[in-house]
Amino acid sequence: MTSVAIERQSTTEAQHPVAEGQARASGSEVGAGGERLIRIEGALRHCDSLDQLWCHLANEGQSLLQARQSLVFCLSGRNRWRVKAVGGLARVPHDSAQVLAYQHLVGSDWREHRDETQPRLLDLANVLEDEGIPAMRHGLWIPLSHGDRPIGAGWLLTRERAWETPHLALASRLAQAYGHGASAIRGRRRVSLGHARGARGLALATVLGLGAALALVQVPLTSRAPAEVVASEPFVVAAPMAGVVDRILVAPGARVALGDPLVQLVDVELRNDFEVAQRKVQVAQSKALRLQQAAIASSEAKRELAIARSELRVAEAERDYAHDLLDKAVVRAERSGVALYGDPQDWVGRPVRVGEAVMQVADPADIAFRLEVAAADAVTLERGASVDVFLDAAPLEPVSAVVARAAYKAEKNASSIANFKVMAIPETPSEDMPRLGLRGTARIHGEPVSLFYYLFRRPIVTFRQLTGV
């Protein structure tokens, strides 16, 4: 809708003098409009909103009173009148120069006749022609009221011919009907608004009461973490020297005793070195024995005997060293327990470094729980904190434990998530302890906090991270 839409409408209608000449006498016009007035009063009761009511008034009233233009005004903030509906137009062209001029005219007239509720005739030519705006000459302003009380709305009708007394009576009757309808709609809105405010007040009171109740209830602050059953103090079987694993001599999970062989390293070179060292010892012994027999008669042999004995001691030391290395090719258990490692085939032919762990030997009755607590949940990591471990193999039989130690610094795991390594030990050790390697979930109990903080700690942290408040 352009800014001159209403001007084009009024100009086009003004260019039909034949139709105007064929109009009936004003008295007969009003008489014929009585029947339509009854129909309009019945139809306006179906309007559910003020916008719908104003649009109905602008269109039906224009047709009933044979007006060229029909505009409905409402009093808005700062005592300004604004056009809410225009007859024949779906949307009000608020930027139209004629609409702005009509608003200024209605505002000036209202300041002079603020409390009047009777229709008034307006001469529009002198006012609007000063602005260079073509308009109908004769205007009729009907304030809308409910009884004797204005409701802050009005109706402006314009046309070329003068308005007569029957028109004023008909327009006044129609304005009272629409004023009553507007008051009824506003009353329903105030009731609905009152109910809405009451509901909001009740909801606010409920929320405040619930918040106060949550603040008074104390519950222990808890956090959850993945858990695994591990040995409490395992013995690490490490490679005593660099070499290649020939085979694993025990099965995974097998019980071993003190001194049992566990790992066999490739010892071909070590065994050859030991045999060569033994031959050197035999050669040194033969040489020393020969010189010892010759030293009885020869002073020179006596001098060489001391050197030969030194060479024998060196050869024996090399033999002993080679023997020790050969013994280390077989790694033996230094304590009894259960052998803990993966697949034996993963180790066959695998080179190992000095000190590299091959397996663990642990007592199956001496267990602990290894927890990986995320850094965001590390609020309950005090020594001695109570822990409930729910293993996947027995979710209905939690194991009670306490925190023994916790890492001081968080480290990233395989998923690049920073977490703290925590060790927990059972409160009451018994023979019927969980099997090593079982997994589950642990719940760590901390200090008592309010139920409000317990429920909304994570949302508050997320809100602060997003907003920085």
Side-chain angles (χ1 to χ4, degrees):
M1 182 69 66
T2 62
S3 62
V4 297
I6 189 168
E7 291 91 330
R8 291 180 178 177
Q9 179 195 18
S10 62
T11 304
T12 303
E13 292 174 348
Q15 292 175 353
H16 294 80
V18 176
E20 183 66 24
Q22 294 177 351
R24 294 170 298 178
S26 59
S28 60
E29 289 177 358
V30 176
E35 297 179 359
R36 296 190 61 188
L37 176 62
I38 297 175
R39 181 182 61 81
I40 291 174
E41 288 183 345
L44 69 85
R45 294 186 177 91
H46 298 285
C47 297
D48 297 327
S49 64
L50 289 177
D51 292 337
Q52 186 178 357
L53 185 69
W54 301 147
C55 184
H56 192 273
L57 172 59
N59 289 278
E60 295 295 339
Q62 179 180 8
S63 176
L64 177 64
L65 296 177
Q66 297 296 318
R68 292 300 183 185
Q69 294 176 335
S70 175
L71 300 91
V72 179
F73 293 77
C74 282
L75 188 62
S76 61
R78 298 182 180 179
N79 293 332
R80 293 181 180 179
W81 288 85
R82 288 182 59 83
V83 177
K84 293 296 183 179
V86 178
L89 300 181
R91 185 178 64 87
V92 178
H94 290 288
D95 56 348
S96 169
Q98 194 169 24
V99 169
L100 297 176
Y102 281 147
Q103 291 180 165
H104 178 71
L105 173 65
V106 170
S108 300
D109 182 77
W110 175 75
R111 283 189 290 271
E112 296 179 3
H113 309 278
R114 183 183 295 265
D115 297 328
E116 294 184 9
T117 58
Q118 298 299 321
R120 289 190 304 281
L121 298 175
L122 301 177
D123 186 1
L124 304 180
N126 295 333
V127 177
L128 298 180
E129 287 180 358
D130 293 342
E131 305 291 337
I133 301 174
M136 303 298 102
R137 176 179 181 82
H138 300 280
L140 178 60
W141 171 251
I142 309 101
L144 300 185
S145 61
H146 184 205
D148 296 334
R149 180 174 56 85
I151 64 171
W155 182 26
L156 178 64
L157 299 173
T158 66
R159 70 175 189 173
E160 298 89 343
R161 294 183 299 132
W163 300 98
E164 300 182 5
T165 303
H167 295 116
L168 300 179
L170 190 60
S172 177
R173 173 64 182 271
L174 192 61
Q176 291 178 1
Y178 278 95
H180 183 273
S183 298
I185 293 176
R186 288 175 177 174
R188 290 199 300 268
R189 179 182 298 177
R190 284 194 294 270
V191 172
S192 300
L193 182 60
H195 285 298
R197 289 178 178 175
R200 286 197 297 268
L202 179 60
L204 180 60
T206 303
V207 171
L208 293 178
L210 181 60
L214 294 179
L216 295 176
V217 177
Q218 296 291 313
V219 295
L221 182 63
T222 61
S223 58
R224 294 188 300 271
E228 181 183 3
V229 181
V230 297
S232 177
E233 296 181 358
F235 172 74
V236 179
V237 178
M241 59 184 176
V244 178
V245 177
D246 185 15
R247 63 185 185 277
I248 303 296
L249 303 177
V250 294
R255 283 190 169 274
V256 298
L258 179 63
D260 289 348
L262 303 177
V263 182
Q264 174 66 60
L265 302 179
V266 176
D267 59 353
V268 176
E269 184 178 356
L270 298 176
R271 191 174 300 278
N272 291 335
D273 292 343
F274 177 67
E275 291 180 357
V276 170
Q278 281 186 323
R279 297 294 185 271
K280 289 183 178 180
V281 170
Q282 293 175 0
V283 171
Q285 287 177 347
S286 300
K287 182 179 179 180
L289 181 60
R290 181 179 59 82
L291 291 175
Q292 184 178 0
Q293 294 175 351
I296 299 174
S298 173
S299 59
E300 182 179 357
K302 185 180 296 186
R303 291 192 299 270
E304 293 179 358
L305 176 60
I307 298 175
R309 289 176 177 175
S310 297
E311 291 176 352
L312 176 59
R313 288 193 293 270
V314 171
E316 290 174 346
E318 291 178 351
R319 180 199 60 189
D320 295 340
Y321 176 71
H323 182 267
D324 291 341
L325 292 180
L326 183 60
D327 285 343
K328 290 181 179 180
V330 178
V331 183
R332 300 180 181 275
E334 297 186 13
R335 58 182 293 185
S336 60
V338 176
L340 304 177
Y341 69 101
D343 189 356
Q345 297 300 321
D346 294 341
W347 289 97
V348 175
R350 177 175 171 177
V352 292
R353 302 184 303 273
V354 178
E356 182 176 354
V358 179
M359 67 175 65
Q360 293 180 352
V361 176
D363 184 358
D366 188 13
I367 68 167
F369 301 102
R370 182 171 60 198
L371 316 180
E372 294 184 358
V373 182
D377 296 330
V379 294
T380 57
L381 300 184
E382 296 183 1
R383 183 181 178 88
S386 176
V387 180
D388 292 330
V389 181
F390 300 86
L391 298 175
D392 297 337
L396 300 180
E397 299 177 1
V399 180
S400 299
V402 294
V403 174
R405 61 181 183 274
Y408 183 77
K409 180 181 178 181
E411 297 180 357
K412 292 185 178 180
N413 57 10
S415 302
S416 298
I417 299 176
N419 53 49
F420 291 88
K421 301 293 184 182
V422 180
M423 296 298 294
I425 58 176
E427 285 187 347
T428 56
S430 63
E431 296 181 358
D432 188 16
M433 298 304 295
R435 182 179 177 180
L436 295 173
L438 294 181
R439 292 179 176 271
T441 303
R443 182 174 61 194
I444 309 172
H445 299 268
E447 296 293 332
V449 296
S450 65
L451 184 57
F452 178 85
Y453 180 80
Y454 180 84
L455 295 176
F456 295 100
R457 180 177 67 86
R458 287 182 177 273
I460 291 173
V461 171
T462 303
F463 176 77
R464 293 196 64 182
Q465 290 176 347
L466 294 177
T467 62
V469 178

